[in-house]
Amino acid sequence: MKKCLIFCAFLAVACTGAKEPLYKDATADIEDRIEDLVGRMTVEEKILQLNQYTLGTNTIEQNIGELVSEVPAEIGSLIYFGDEAVVRNAMQKRAMEDSRLGIPIIFGHDVIHGYITIFPIPLAQACSWNPELTRLGCEVAAQEAYSCGIDWTFSPMVDVARDPRWGRVMEGYGEDVYTNSVFCQAAIKGYQGDDMSQENRIAACLKHFAGYAASEAGMDYVYTEVSDQTLWDTYLPPFEAGIKAGAATLMSGFHNLSATPVAANRFLITEVLKNRWGHDGYVVSDWGSIKQLINQGMVETEKEAAETAFNAGNEMDMADQVYANNLKALLDEGKISMKQIDDAVSRVLRVKFRLGLFENPYVEEKPESERYLLPHSLEIAEKAAAESMVLLKNENAVLPIEKAKTIALIGPMADDQDEHRGNWCGRGRGEDVISILQGMEKEYKGKARIVHAEGCGFEGEDRSGFAEAVRVARSADVVVACLGHEAGWSGENHSRSTLEIPQIQEDLLAALKATGKPVVVLTASGRPLEMREVDEHADAILHIWHPGTCAGYAVAGLLSGRYNPSGKLAMTFPYTAGQIPIYYNRRPKARNEGWFQGLYEDITNDPMYPFGYGLSYSKFEYGPMTVSADKVSADGKLYAEVTVKNVSDRDGMETVHWYINDPYSKITRPVKELKFFEKKLVKAGESETFRFEIDPKRDLGFVNSKGEKYLDKGEYRIMVGDQTVSINVI
Ligand code: BGC
């Protein structure tokens, strides 16, 4: 389709003999096209390119957008809330035909974990330890979004998150730096492919640059205190990885980072991102974040806000319209320069050229059946859901359920469709979701009877359904309690002070357990949960997160044994919220012996389930770790290996996590740092060898508080499972 349009354009020129301006020449170099186009633009046209308005009805509660009918034809970007290419095309037609230069609009939308086919929330995806599934999922999301009129997604979010009270932990890839970096790269590849101008590809947007997840006390929109050292060793690396993977754009966060709100943070946006990392795409501000500089106490007026944000390096103003209203005056007053405006416009145009929008401004209007929920997409969604669920407990091998004649499905999540979509679920529709009940009925057809009772709602005090739930439980051989959080209890502006499942659900569980039947608990949520109560009453626990469209098939497949659980936690589950922040790679503490250990007096210091934890129906045994040498130079290479044997009679997938530790360093380092992981199928009774290729600078080196990378000589420890081997960098 795209090639055909280019050919038609060529023919048109050839037939009329008219000479097209250089910027319209698809064969010319993009930089030459940009220069030519910027040279033709008026100041007003340039400024309009730096603004993003909204089109369509906004369904995102925290973004109070409206249907904007009077959008200028020269507008740079629109957040597109429609899901039909036709509205987009009509608007694009205005831009192409009613504006003087015919510059296409770039249409953006939050496609976070799928557009109509919904994939597990990103935090769950990280628990699959299978970045290829994330790449494929983002590829599907891109295809669906593209065919509905979207060119640009505000994803992936790569905010390393260590406070599960913060609702947005669901949008990222957990608490670890390396994990966020790997999944970030997979997502970008999935959205953008190798060439964004191809059909079904959209531009990615890394967000929220940077440190947003450090929000104090897990609240949203508040202050974040991040030391320079932590900024460089924890929050920035996933962004740098994303830039290396070719992320077209970034979004600056709306948080106040160590007393300089990011929207005003020239150091981050210009010095680090552009000057140091060489990013040549553009930065969009977050919704309202430029005006919010007033709330944050940085500036007094919208004009000052525009000046500060623009000078910091935000090229595009999302939803604020402060650029549209003020940049011209700021230019006339010499507070910003034409050179800056030209650079900003060039960056926006560069992404539009790279997307091929000048050649293909319109999207083919295809029927729904060709746009979304395609069989291949649903297959990926089911696999991703199955691999992301984490088996937390399985006493007496209650799971898989293979012999039961009657299975009771009880709880508010059992027959639900909407909540499985999770928050930020694009245009995903509840009616397309396979409920657990539907999945189980299909899975066990002809093998077991599925009986069902809701028992209670997600919260509240209505216990009138308990008696029926207990009666249904008594009639079954095994009870599956489907509990958890609603989708809207996590996501933006959904902070929680505790991580528990509401009391009414815990009471229902206790009543089910009292029947004496084996109880399997499915827990759904968009964040780590406090599981003490659940653990007390459960024989098995499968944490299902918010799994997306194919929820019921994935759950049923895991319960029946058609799938073997292989998820492991990408974020620590604390024992209580009082332990927060809790994460696996703390720095070592001062005292660790006898009474002086700095322990809590009332609870354990250990988490309920640590990072990397997750069970399988198979049993894996790790052989001794070997390293290819015990000394290595900074430029040398070595590798560590471990052989994993599946000593069960069931094929299973195992993820091996490789950690390092630098025990003595002038800049103290975490007790463990994940540097590599690999997931492989290990067949029953067979073994697989896993290898970690160690590049000393990349895997053992560190970064200082100025972002300078270095590698110390001396001892390093390589860790896998419960084994540690020391090596020396010479
Ligand atoms: C969120 C962003 C999102 C934007 C546009 C903001 O409220 O912080 O993550 O991309 O809205 O919907």
Side-chain angles (χ1 to χ4, degrees):
M1 175 71 183
K2 284 197 172 181
K3 281 196 185 116
C4 161
L5 284 173
I6 296 174
F7 183 65
C8 293
F10 171 78
L11 268 188
V13 174
C15 296
T16 57
K19 189 160 171 8
E20 288 280 27
L22 179 64
Y23 77 89
K24 290 198 173 167
D25 178 358
T27 62
D29 182 78
I30 286 183
E31 293 308 312
D32 295 338
R33 297 176 77 185
I34 295 172
E35 202 187 320
D36 177 62
L37 179 51
V38 173
R40 295 169 190 267
M41 293 169 80
T42 63
V43 183
E44 288 72 18
E45 284 165 341
K46 288 177 186 173
I47 290 173
L48 275 167
Q49 282 301 309
L50 308 180
N51 285 276
Q52 182 175 58
Y53 295 7
T54 56
L55 181 68
T57 314
N58 189 358
T59 54
I60 300 172
E61 67 199 39
Q62 67 276 9
N63 294 338
I64 312 144
E66 288 153 22
L67 181 80
V68 179
S69 43
E70 290 305 313
V71 184
E74 293 80 11
I75 188 74
S77 176
L78 284 162
I79 301 191
Y80 186 53
F81 294 112
D83 56 12
E84 294 283 340
V86 59
V87 180
R88 166 233 162 82
N89 284 347
M91 184 63 219
Q92 190 73 296
K93 194 161 184 284
R94 278 185 55 204
M96 300 307 291
E97 294 176 10
D98 298 354
S99 74
R100 193 174 65 91
L101 294 162
I103 303 176
I105 295 168
I106 180 169
F107 294 84
H109 187 78
D110 289 278
V111 182
I112 307 297
H113 52 111
Y115 186 63
I116 296 208
T117 301
I118 301 301
F119 295 85
I121 54 169
L123 177 56
Q125 291 180 31
C127 297
S128 75
W129 300 98
N130 190 343
E132 175 60 6
L133 283 176
T134 290
R135 188 189 70 76
L136 291 169
C138 291
E139 193 165 83
V140 170
Q143 170 266 316
E144 292 188 352
Y146 175 93
S147 60
C148 294
I150 289 155
D151 312 299
W152 175 30
T153 174
F154 308 128
S155 165
M157 180 186 108
V158 292
D159 296 319
V160 172
R162 295 174 170 182
D163 189 334
R165 293 171 300 181
W166 190 55
R168 304 198 80 165
V169 297
M170 56 130 317
E171 284 177 67
Y173 302 108
E175 74 188 40
D176 176 58
V177 178
Y178 177 72
T179 313
N180 268 281
S181 305
V182 171
F183 278 87
C184 166
Q185 295 195 324
I188 289 165
K189 265 258 163 309
Y191 292 131
Q192 298 188 173
D194 294 326
D195 173 1
M196 287 198 301
S197 73
Q198 295 298 305
E199 203 170 345
N200 294 329
R201 294 295 179 185
I202 58 177
C205 180
L206 292 176
K207 72 184 190 187
H208 308 83
F209 194 53
Y212 179 21
S215 281
E216 278 184 344
M219 291 181 291
D220 224 335
Y221 314 130
V222 297
Y223 184 65
T224 56
E225 179 63 52
V226 178
S227 71
D228 288 349
Q229 180 61 39
T230 308
L231 184 68
W232 280 104
D233 69 35
T234 301
Y235 292 108
L236 289 181
F239 287 95
E240 192 177 5
I243 302 299
K244 285 190 182 139
T249 69
L250 282 91
M251 186 185 295
S252 52
F254 37 33
H255 54 290
N256 181 348
L257 180 77
S258 311
T260 307
V262 177
N265 203 312
R266 188 178 157 80
F267 169 72
L268 266 190
I269 307 176
T270 296
E271 287 174 31
V272 174
L273 177 68
K274 290 162 193 169
N275 299 350
R276 207 185 288 197
W277 293 346
H279 187 246
D280 64 359
Y282 63 89
V283 175
V284 62
S285 59
D286 201 351
W287 189 287
S289 69
I290 304 183
K291 265 192 204 161
Q292 285 159 20
L293 290 174
I294 303 174
N295 300 349
Q296 285 166 320
M298 174 142 244
V299 296
E300 229 177 316
T301 64
E302 289 189 8
K303 191 169 171 194
E304 283 173 333
E307 177 187 346
T308 310
F310 188 72
N311 280 328
N314 296 282
E315 279 90 15
M316 191 180 280
D317 166 356
M318 180 188 280
D320 264 340
Q321 292 171 37
V322 290
Y323 279 7
N325 297 338
N326 296 291
L327 287 193
K328 175 74 172 59
L330 289 167
L331 182 71
D332 294 343
E333 290 162 25
K335 298 213 165 110
I336 61 172
S337 69
M338 188 56 104
K339 188 162 174 268
Q340 281 175 289
I341 292 198
D342 285 351
D343 177 61
V345 173
S346 299
R347 287 169 177 274
V348 172
L349 295 176
R350 188 170 291 123
V351 172
K352 292 185 177 184
F353 277 119
R354 285 181 182 160
L355 273 167
L357 283 174
F358 282 81
E359 286 66 59
N360 298 286
Y362 306 110
V363 169
E364 196 184 336
E365 289 159 22
K366 295 181 184 168
E368 281 184 19
S369 58
E370 289 174 31
R371 280 189 280 149
Y372 40 77
L373 300 170
L374 306 179
H376 149 85
S377 313
L378 293 171
E379 239 173 68
I380 298 167
E382 180 176 333
K383 200 164 185 297
E387 289 202 28
S388 65
M389 295 179 185
V390 185
L391 183 63
L392 297 173
K393 182 176 183 180
N394 193 14
E395 267 174 16
N396 309 317
V398 181
L399 289 175
I401 304 170
E402 288 173 324
K403 299 205 177 82
K405 288 277 162 278
T406 306
I407 302 169
L409 279 193
I410 295 178
M413 201 53 117
D415 194 22
D416 182 86
Q417 290 176 294
D418 289 346
E419 307 305 328
H420 291 305
R421 292 172 303 165
N423 208 332
W424 286 112
C425 59
R427 288 268 159 188
R429 304 173 300 208
E431 74 230 42
D432 297 324
V433 172
I434 307 300
S435 73
I436 297 174
L437 183 59
Q438 289 167 337
M440 288 293 279
E441 276 170 348
K442 180 164 182 248
E443 188 83 26
Y444 282 91
K445 194 159 193 260
K447 293 182 210 134
R449 201 163 63 94
I450 308 295
V451 288
H452 165 244
E454 189 181 11
C456 64
F458 282 95
E459 55 187 339
E461 295 301 327
D462 183 1
R463 287 168 169 75
S464 59
F466 276 31
E468 168 69 357
V470 166
R471 192 192 61 73
V472 170
R474 286 213 176 99
S475 74
D477 303 305
V478 58
V479 176
V480 180
C482 309
L483 311 178
H485 281 191
E486 290 181 8
W489 297 359
S490 55
E492 184 180 344
N493 198 21
H494 291 292
S495 302
R496 287 178 95 81
S497 68
T498 74
L499 311 175
E500 282 151 1
I501 288 174
Q503 190 63 47
I504 190 161
Q505 294 191 47
E506 290 185 348
D507 291 350
L508 175 68
L509 178 58
L512 297 175
K513 180 66 184 169
T515 62
K517 301 286 178 178
V519 178
V520 174
V521 183
L522 305 179
T523 44
S525 70
R527 51 154 57 82
L529 294 177
E530 288 183 47
M531 297 284 241
R532 293 182 317 284
E533 289 280 323
V534 172
D535 179 62
E536 204 182 309
H537 297 118
D539 297 288
I541 307 173
L542 181 69
H543 192 67
I544 67 170
W545 302 107
H546 291 305
T549 309
C550 294
Y553 292 149
V555 166
L558 284 164
L559 295 189
S560 74
R562 177 166 57 84
Y563 291 121
N564 188 346
S566 63
K568 295 187 187 212
L569 297 177
M571 194 167 178
T572 305
F573 275 42
Y575 184 77
T576 75
Q579 293 179 324
I580 296 168
I582 182 166
Y583 50 95
Y584 83 91
N585 57 348
R586 285 214 158 117
R587 286 185 156 85
K589 59 186 178 184
R591 285 186 168 177
N592 218 357
E593 281 125 37
W595 188 78
F596 293 100
Q597 290 195 43
L599 302 178
Y600 289 113
E601 294 191 336
D602 53 343
I603 53 163
T604 169
N605 275 41
D606 292 331
M608 185 78 192
Y609 303 113
F611 176 85
Y613 176 80
L615 305 172
S616 160
Y617 298 153
S618 305
K619 188 159 182 281
F620 300 109
E621 278 179 10
Y622 283 46
M625 183 206 327
T626 56
V627 286
S628 57
D630 59 5
K631 289 189 186 61
V632 66
S633 67
D635 295 316
K637 287 264 167 5
L638 84 163
Y639 60 85
E641 281 187 349
V642 70
T643 297
V644 176
K645 183 160 190 204
N646 182 344
V647 293
S648 70
D649 56 8
R650 202 179 274 272
D651 295 351
M653 281 184 285
E654 173 65 342
T655 298
V656 169
H657 289 115
W658 294 94
Y659 296 91
I660 70 109
N661 166 244
D662 179 356
Y664 308 106
S665 167
K666 286 213 175 60
I667 295 172
T668 59
R669 294 182 58 174
V671 288
K672 282 163 102 172
E673 296 166 47
L674 184 69
K675 291 295 168 179
F676 185 60
F677 61 82
E678 194 179 8
K679 185 173 192 176
K680 285 189 187 180
L681 174 71
V682 191
K683 292 218 163 122
E686 295 185 10
S687 297
E688 284 291 336
T689 298
F690 292 74
R691 178 190 270 220
F692 170 26
E693 310 255 355
I694 303 167
D695 171 333
K697 283 191 184 143
R698 183 192 62 196
D699 300 319
L700 306 176
F702 208 50
V703 72
N704 66 16
S705 61
K706 297 196 175 75
E708 296 154 351
K709 294 182 180 157
Y710 67 91
L711 173 67
D712 277 342
K713 292 195 169 139
E715 184 191 352
Y716 288 86
R717 294 171 186 162
I718 314 295
M719 299 147 131
V720 73
D722 55 6
Q723 305 178 55
T724 301
V725 169
S726 286
I727 56 150
N728 270 280
V729 171
I730 50 171

